[in-house]
Amino acid sequence: MIIDVDCHNYWSSAEVLLPYMDKHHRDYFVRGEQPGPRGAFPHGHRPWLHPEGFKRADINPMKEEDNYTIMKAKHLDHYKIDYAVLTGDEAIEASTLANPHYASALVRAYNDYQVEEWLPRDERFVGSIVIAPQDPHMAAAEIRRLGHHPRMVQVLASHGATRPYGDPFYHPIYEACAEVGLPFAIHLGGQGGINSNPIGAGPTTYFWETHAILPQSAMTHMASMIAQGVFEKWPSLYFVIIECGVAWVPSVLWRLDANYKALRKETPWLKRLPSEYFKDHIRFTTQPLERPDNLEHLWSVLEAMDGENTLMFASDYPHWDYDDINNLHIPPAWREKILGGNAMQVYQRLQALEASKKAA
Amino acid sequence: MSDNKHLVCKTNEVSPGNQKIVQVGRMSIGIFNIDDGYHAMLNVCPHQGAALCEGPVCGTSAQTDKAEFIYCKDEALVRCAWHGWEFDIKSGEFLVDPNIKAKTFPVSVDGDDIYVHM
């Protein structure tokens, strides 16, 4: 079983969302100010720029349909992927907009577009309900609106955020996730705009430099989700951190455990060590897996985070740092769990899909 | 109680809610005066060997299910002087993990004299 938990479905132009927008927000989109050329997705841009764009250079969709057909040929069929969790692309950047009404309208349109135009194309596709977390109540409403769709497997936001995700401000989101039985996932992105502090000490200059240190925000979110007691309040919730690196995880967990042992009185709602909440509730995706010269160095770090049980395979198709499933640098004995077993556990909706496939 | 009984100090040398560090042979020991009487604890933290008994005698927040702070164990804990781990003065138990214990000793009082039994 191979489950790719980070597969980006592209569009040629964000104008594909127009049919799914209400008239009020369609006017914003058609006549309003845009951050890029015609058809660009509205978002508050980040200060650094990728010098080559994000896509693999061998993936060049010319028309809308190519976005799927190329993905099918070069990724899904080529690597025999059983399920691909669609993570969209620009849609999570809605989190950068100050206007929560516009941001929520954009993600609603994206989600409907995903349901209508992507999920039916291939039975291997399952979806993510993208939310604009800057208004948690509107986000919760969106989760409840689509949360019972049989092929929606998670709720997705950007890892760039206005405040750490454990903050009680966001708790309506987790309330809704728990209600519909979906994990909450964050994906690298959403820097700029109102998410003005995704990098400690201020904006970096170059893209490759920035990409290496974007895990900073993920560290903040991981610590915050544990410390604020999100997993005590919602004991069945999974928190998935996508594309934020993994080698840093043990070091942060070690510090969290050590500091908690000294200062547990600050958070009396916690009942267990931070690392125990991590093992039961937080999952990381492989891509981009760090690549030290000596692979043993990586493996000992992965072992320290119980990687066999906490990592899920992600390709990040079709991005510039895409990972080939056959060259995944993980211990061979862990492959079965990381390639599919762990995702099956986290995305319980997939278990139902599998069961109905077998029954058919 | 064993016969290995050591006179360590006078009762008026340990004020209520505080501790006094005494020396028994080569061992440094904290003598605590808390509401239910006198207690003795080895002045070595099981965490990293720091001077455990030189930290503050204090209370802490009780475990709860929500964001509320219920002060408890007032003057029943000592926080290690170095890293702040909280130990129950009577039992020596570390609050986060009761399997980790600071070494404690029985204490007896005879008139003004405090004895530690080893």
Side-chain angles (χ1 to χ4, degrees):
Chain A
M1 175 74 67
I2 300 174
I3 302 172
D4 177 3
V5 303
D6 185 17
C7 183
H8 293 286
N9 46 315
Y10 265 51
W11 52 50
S12 300
S13 156
E15 287 174 348
V16 294
L17 300 184
L18 285 173
Y20 302 98
M21 298 184 78
D22 61 83
K23 283 189 174 171
H24 175 76
H25 290 105
R26 198 181 305 164
D27 282 354
Y28 280 52
F29 196 100
V30 172
R31 297 198 303 277
E33 191 180 2
Q34 300 282 32
R38 183 181 163 79
F41 186 82
H43 60 94
H45 212 69
R46 54 193 177 272
W48 58 85
L49 301 169
H50 195 303
E52 301 281 348
F54 287 93
K55 285 200 304 287
R56 272 168 46 171
D58 61 336
I59 293 183
N60 294 305
M62 302 303 285
K63 51 187 196 299
E64 195 57 35
E65 183 63 17
D66 296 345
N67 288 303
Y68 169 64
T69 52
I70 296 174
M71 183 206 278
K72 177 171 156 46
K74 292 198 174 189
H75 182 58
L76 300 174
D77 291 351
H78 185 72
Y79 292 101
K80 299 185 170 57
I81 307 281
D82 291 284
Y83 288 105
V85 180
L86 298 180
T87 44
D89 186 59
E90 291 179 297
I92 63 168
E93 303 290 323
S95 72
T96 60
L97 297 174
N99 181 338
H101 305 284
Y102 192 20
S104 299
L106 288 169
V107 295
R108 271 200 306 275
Y110 167 74
N111 290 330
D112 284 339
Y113 152 81
Q114 183 188 198
V115 167
E116 291 292 319
E117 303 194 29
W118 278 92
L119 295 183
R121 274 185 213 204
D122 198 305
E123 62 174 14
R124 291 169 287 192
F125 287 150
V126 287
S128 307
I129 302 171
V130 176
I131 55 164
Q134 57 270 58
D135 187 310
H137 293 284
M138 284 192 235
E142 181 63 356
I143 293 166
R144 291 189 174 99
R145 185 176 76 91
L146 288 175
H148 293 286
H149 189 290
R151 287 172 68 192
M152 283 297 189
V153 300
Q154 70 182 355
V155 170
L156 180 65
S158 67
H159 94 313
T162 50
R163 55 180 99 187
Y165 274 122
D167 192 303
F169 171 78
Y170 292 117
H171 287 195
I173 292 173
Y174 313 132
E175 183 80 54
C177 285
E179 207 177 294
V180 299
L182 292 179
F184 175 64
I186 58 171
H187 184 292
L188 187 83
Q191 289 81 40
I194 56 170
N195 300 334
S196 53
N197 52 357
I199 301 288
T204 41
T205 309
Y206 302 106
F207 181 80
W208 66 262
E209 168 201 15
T210 307
H211 192 268
I213 59 165
L214 279 176
Q216 285 181 355
S217 320
M219 293 177 200
T220 308
H221 295 312
M222 181 174 87
S224 172
M225 290 289 273
I226 294 170
Q228 298 277 8
V230 169
F231 306 117
E232 279 295 337
K233 275 175 103 168
W234 294 286
S236 62
L237 186 73
Y238 275 111
F239 177 42
V240 182
I241 300 179
I242 304 171
E243 205 181 340
C244 293
V246 294
W248 54 268
V249 175
S251 79
V252 174
L253 288 173
W254 291 329
R255 281 179 191 280
L256 290 174
D257 275 5
N259 294 350
Y260 174 78
K261 282 174 186 168
L263 291 167
R264 57 152 290 286
K265 72 177 201 176
E266 284 191 291
T267 53
W269 46 84
L270 296 186
K271 314 272 193 294
R272 295 187 289 155
L273 288 175
S275 61
E276 295 172 39
Y277 290 109
F278 161 78
K279 280 187 185 173
D280 286 352
H281 295 279
I282 302 181
R283 295 294 177 266
F284 280 87
T285 66
T286 53
Q287 198 285 332
L289 210 50
E290 291 85 354
R291 298 237 173 147
D293 291 336
N294 180 347
L295 212 52
E296 292 296 326
H297 294 165
L298 173 66
W299 286 11
S300 55
V301 173
L302 297 186
E303 208 167 356
M305 63 180 284
D306 188 25
E308 182 177 6
N309 296 304
T310 61
L311 289 174
M312 304 192 289
F313 166 68
S315 71
D316 197 27
Y317 175 91
H319 285 171
W320 64 286
D321 52 349
Y322 175 88
D323 276 350
D324 182 331
I325 194 165
N326 298 317
N327 288 308
L328 207 58
H329 288 181
I330 54 169
W334 296 4
R335 281 182 72 86
E336 200 173 319
K337 278 186 166 177
I338 292 180
L339 290 186
N342 294 339
M344 215 23 119
Q345 182 73 31
V346 170
Y347 299 114
Q348 290 175 10
R349 204 99 355 133
L350 282 180
Q351 297 173 14
L353 275 180
E354 271 297 279
S356 66
K357 235 165 64 176
K358 278 182 189 139
Chain B
M1 259 178 222
S2 78
D3 294 335
N4 203 353
K5 180 176 169 184
H6 301 268
L7 173 65
V8 289
C9 61
K10 297 286 186 190
T11 50
N12 64 9
E13 291 176 64
V14 199
S15 60
N18 285 300
Q19 74 273 58
K20 177 184 171 70
I21 308 297
V22 300
Q23 199 73 24
V24 177
R26 284 158 62 190
M27 276 194 285
S28 175
I29 289 173
I31 307 297
F32 295 84
N33 178 1
I34 57 177
D35 62 358
D36 74 333
Y38 295 91
H39 297 269
M41 185 183 280
L42 186 66
N43 189 18
V44 175
C45 184
H47 171 222
Q48 285 197 4
L52 166 60
C53 302
E54 290 175 32
V57 174
C58 59
T60 191
S61 57
Q63 197 168 75
T64 64
D65 290 324
K66 53 181 196 276
E68 59 181 346
F69 298 89
I70 303 164
Y71 191 68
C72 70
K73 294 182 184 285
D74 188 29
E75 294 191 357
L77 301 177
V78 59
R79 298 178 65 82
C80 176
W82 278 21
H83 305 113
W85 287 28
E86 297 165 321
F87 292 88
D88 185 292
I89 291 168
K90 289 181 224 172
S91 65
E93 280 181 8
F94 172 42
L95 257 55
V96 172
D97 180 358
N99 294 318
I100 297 176
K101 277 190 178 169
K103 173 81 180 149
T104 58
F105 302 99
V107 168
S108 64
V109 179
D110 185 1
D112 295 342
D113 294 330
I114 300 177
Y115 294 92
V116 170
H117 301 257
M118 297 177 164

